[in-house]
Amino acid sequence: MLIGICGSICAGKHTTAEYLVQQHGFLRLHLPSLIPLAGPKTDDERRLLPSVTDEKGTRGLTFPDVNAMLDFVTKRWREHWVLTDIYDETTLDPSPLAEFVFTNDLQLYGWANADNSVHNGGSLPVPAGIAHLLPRAHLQILNQHRSIHDYHRLLDSLDLVSPIRLRPTWDAYFMTLASLASLRSNCMKRRVGCVLVHNSRIISTGYNGTPRNLTNCNEGGCGRCNSANSGGVALSTCLCLHAEENALLEAGRERIREGAILYCDTCPCLTCSVKIAQVGVKEVVYSQSYNMDDASRQVLNEAGVELRQFSPPRSGLVSAGTLPESCRDLVALTNGRAP
């Protein structure tokens, strides 16, 4: 596993890397800074240059370029590696606030010339800014923690080294498809998606909304959903089919064989649970809770249908901590197997 970390100055990049080194046995990797590296000149000698990467003496490997690093890591993809930005000595030296802000903005956004080249006012080239990399990160951490201990607790909860981040399990795979199906929902109240599978093969999918040939709910087709009624009120007047109902209807009783599993991004309601039990589904896996989980669980348990919740490792933007907004920094992590 290779985890790449980027972020603005003092965002916690090296703290995150050191956490992975100390807690999960990662080894740090580095690429050369903008200042040319002194040392061996031959390709073989330049390929692996051990370097001290932090005050605790954790040793890492420095590579002459990205291709050399990826070639090395790809052959050792079962091991754990972490890569952070490298700053030159000028960046690490204490500097006045104005210079710090300028350097930080330069790193984030770059400074383009008329010919679209980027520089820092001197002779050394500067990347176009890490702000352009953030949308490509699998996980973004809004670092607002007052102590390393609190930050480590957050990292523990994120399960950064979960194999699911490299290759989704069947649970993660089908739950992702259920969430994707929910985007097709036209219901005004809630978007729900469902996938019905057997032997890890998809039988049918479903999402909630008004029946075929009726006006879509989000176009006024269901009076109940377009009213101000709260959840669970006037359900008997709702015209929308639930995601589970659509998946079961699409599959038909003949295709729902023994051992079928239903994945739904929201726990089925009581009415859907009764229908799920009737058609012979063996197991229901859901991600988000609903307001009648206990009632649904009771029905499914009595019918011999297993109900369990699956929560994949968090991704996207994660925010936690107590620092004021003006002090927040962003750490972005790209997690994956070396190409």
Side-chain angles (χ1 to χ4, degrees):
M1 175 183 289
L2 170 63
I3 294 181
I5 305 174
C6 67
S8 59
I9 296 175
C10 297
K13 303 179 295 297
H14 296 289
T15 300
T16 306
E18 189 57 30
Y19 163 84
L20 292 170
V21 170
Q22 299 295 334
Q23 301 297 324
H24 297 284
F26 276 65
L27 182 66
R28 296 189 66 166
L29 304 178
H30 279 305
L31 296 172
S33 65
L34 299 178
I35 297 178
L37 292 173
K41 301 301 182 182
T42 67
D43 290 341
D44 288 341
E45 289 176 315
R46 284 174 55 85
R47 196 167 187 79
L48 297 177
L49 296 177
S51 60
V52 176
T53 55
D54 72 340
E55 295 179 356
K56 297 180 180 179
T58 301
R59 303 192 68 82
L61 300 176
T62 299
F63 297 85
D65 53 50
V66 173
N67 290 332
M69 183 197 71
L70 290 179
D71 182 56
F72 177 86
V73 173
T74 300
K75 296 175 182 178
R76 300 162 178 82
W77 65 268
R78 293 183 183 274
E79 302 175 43
H80 291 336
W81 314 94
V82 58
L83 174 70
T84 63
D85 293 337
I86 297 179
Y87 302 106
D88 55 37
E89 294 181 357
T90 303
T91 305
L92 295 176
D93 287 338
S95 59
L97 178 60
E99 183 179 345
F100 175 88
V101 173
F102 172 78
T103 305
N104 190 55
D105 288 349
L106 184 64
Q107 185 197 11
L108 278 171
Y109 304 108
W111 177 12
N113 292 323
D115 60 356
N116 290 327
S117 62
V118 181
H119 68 89
N120 64 349
S123 59
L124 295 176
V126 175
I130 62 170
H132 302 286
L133 299 177
L134 297 182
R136 302 177 60 180
H138 296 174
L139 177 66
Q140 298 179 27
I141 302 173
L142 196 58
N143 188 358
Q144 309 168 68
H145 297 81
R146 295 184 180 275
S147 70
I148 293 179
H149 174 72
D150 290 340
Y151 186 52
H152 280 188
R153 289 180 59 189
L154 171 66
L155 295 179
D156 287 339
S157 71
L158 294 177
D159 196 8
L160 298 179
V161 299
S162 170
I164 296 178
R165 295 189 181 277
L166 285 178
R167 183 174 186 245
T169 61
W170 286 121
D171 279 351
Y173 176 67
F174 290 125
M175 195 62 73
T176 300
L177 293 180
S179 297
L180 179 62
S182 72
L183 299 181
R184 283 286 302 165
S185 169
N186 61 63
C187 182
M188 291 292 293
K189 288 291 187 181
R190 178 192 297 265
R191 282 183 164 184
V192 180
C194 176
V195 177
L196 188 62
V197 304
H198 182 267
N199 288 339
S200 300
R201 297 294 182 267
I202 297 174
I203 301 174
S204 64
T205 63
Y207 53 86
N208 57 327
T210 48
R212 186 176 304 175
N213 296 326
L214 269 66
T215 303
N216 286 336
C217 180
N218 59 359
E219 297 173 344
C222 177
R224 182 259 173 185
C225 289
N226 282 270
S227 68
N229 289 330
S230 58
V233 175
L235 291 177
S236 61
T237 64
C238 182
L239 299 182
C240 289
L241 286 168
H242 289 191
E244 303 93 321
E245 292 176 311
N246 269 322
L248 296 177
L249 288 170
E250 183 68 24
R253 182 65 183 88
E254 294 76 14
R255 296 175 60 197
I256 304 176
R257 303 172 185 175
E258 183 178 353
I261 302 176
L262 185 143
Y263 288 87
C264 193
D265 62 357
T266 304
C267 186
C269 69
L270 181 59
T271 302
C272 286
S273 297
V274 171
K275 297 174 182 177
I276 290 169
Q278 174 65 15
V279 298
V281 170
K282 177 190 74 172
E283 183 179 10
V284 174
V285 184
Y286 70 96
S287 176
Q288 305 173 50
S289 294
Y290 191 45
N291 58 17
M292 54 182 72
D293 290 9
D294 291 339
S296 297
R297 185 180 302 277
Q298 182 177 351
V299 167
L300 293 174
N301 284 344
E302 187 174 346
V305 180
E306 181 181 354
L307 176 67
R308 62 182 175 89
Q309 186 172 16
F310 170 75
S311 299
R314 284 185 287 175
S315 59
L317 180 62
V318 176
S319 175
T322 57
L323 287 183
E325 186 171 356
S326 59
C327 298
R328 295 174 184 172
D329 284 299
L330 195 64
V331 183
L333 295 88
T334 300
N335 187 322
R337 183 181 301 174

